[in-house]
Amino acid sequence: MDDRRGLPLWGLPGAGRIAALSLGVSAAVVVVLVTLGLTAPTGTHPFFYLGLAFLSGGAASLLFGGVGVVVARDRTPTIPALDADFFAGVRRLVLAMWWCALVTNALGILITLSIADGAGGDAPLPAPRLAATFVAAVVTMATATTTSVSMRRILPRG
């Protein structure tokens, strides 16, 4: 059953799956990054932790985008003008969180790559650790892209 503007009365179709994906991937990436940080070998360059912090920023932006999706999914239609403003704000939120994930993941990967071979007597990063770092960044960006594109298609334009 729809209201006059074509919005479903019980939330947005498909938004629950998108929210679950965003929130689940965000939590999983944070767990992986914390594990990488806690199990880093002795002698690892201190900037490796800075790179992990930037990658965690990408996961945090994915978390915020997922929370925005949950709020949009659970919104009950009210006054048309307020609904249009609200959904326009959520559309901007998911786009901004995509940009934030892109920038923080790029910085995290660049920092990790710059210290990967070991500089100034620091131990080089093992290949599995680098691979896990890159996989975390790729999964975060893929999910942030999916969330942004899907929600911008699902949400009504203001």
Side-chain angles (χ1 to χ4, degrees), residues 57-68 90-105 140-141 144-145 147-148:
S61 67
L62 184 58
L63 173 73
F64 293 142
V67 169
V90 174
R91 288 172 60 85
R92 284 191 301 270
L93 171 76
V94 294
L95 182 62
M97 291 300 103
W98 179 82
W99 275 107
C100 183
L102 178 69
V103 169
T104 57
N105 280 338
T140 302
M141 273 316 300
T145 302
T147 301
S148 180

Side-chain angles (χ1 to χ4, degrees), residues 8-153:
L9 292 177
W10 297 287
L12 298 169
R17 289 186 299 273
I18 295 168
L21 177 69
S22 295
L23 298 174
V25 168
S26 176
V29 167
V30 167
V31 167
V32 167
L33 294 175
V34 167
T35 303
L36 286 173
L38 291 175
T39 61
T42 305
T44 301
H45 196 285
F47 275 4
F48 176 67
Y49 301 104
L50 181 64
L52 291 180
F54 275 111
L55 292 173
S56 296
S61 67
L62 184 58
L63 173 73
F64 293 142
V67 169
V69 172
V70 169
V71 170
R73 179 195 69 185
D74 293 338
R75 174 144 173 117
T76 303
T78 58
I79 301 169
L82 293 177
D83 289 341
D85 287 344
F86 173 78
F87 289 126
V90 174
R91 288 172 60 85
R92 284 191 301 270
L93 171 76
V94 294
L95 182 62
M97 291 300 103
W98 179 82
W99 275 107
C100 183
L102 178 69
V103 169
T104 57
N105 280 338
L107 289 173
I109 291 300
L110 288 174
I111 290 170
T112 304
L113 282 175
S114 70
I115 57 119
D117 291 333
D122 292 318
L125 294 173
R129 189 166 305 276
L130 276 176
T133 305
F134 295 146
V135 166
V138 167
V139 167
T140 302
M141 273 316 300
T143 308
T145 302
T146 301
T147 301
S148 180
V149 169
S150 299
M151 289 309 295
R152 291 180 63 78
R153 286 186 179 171

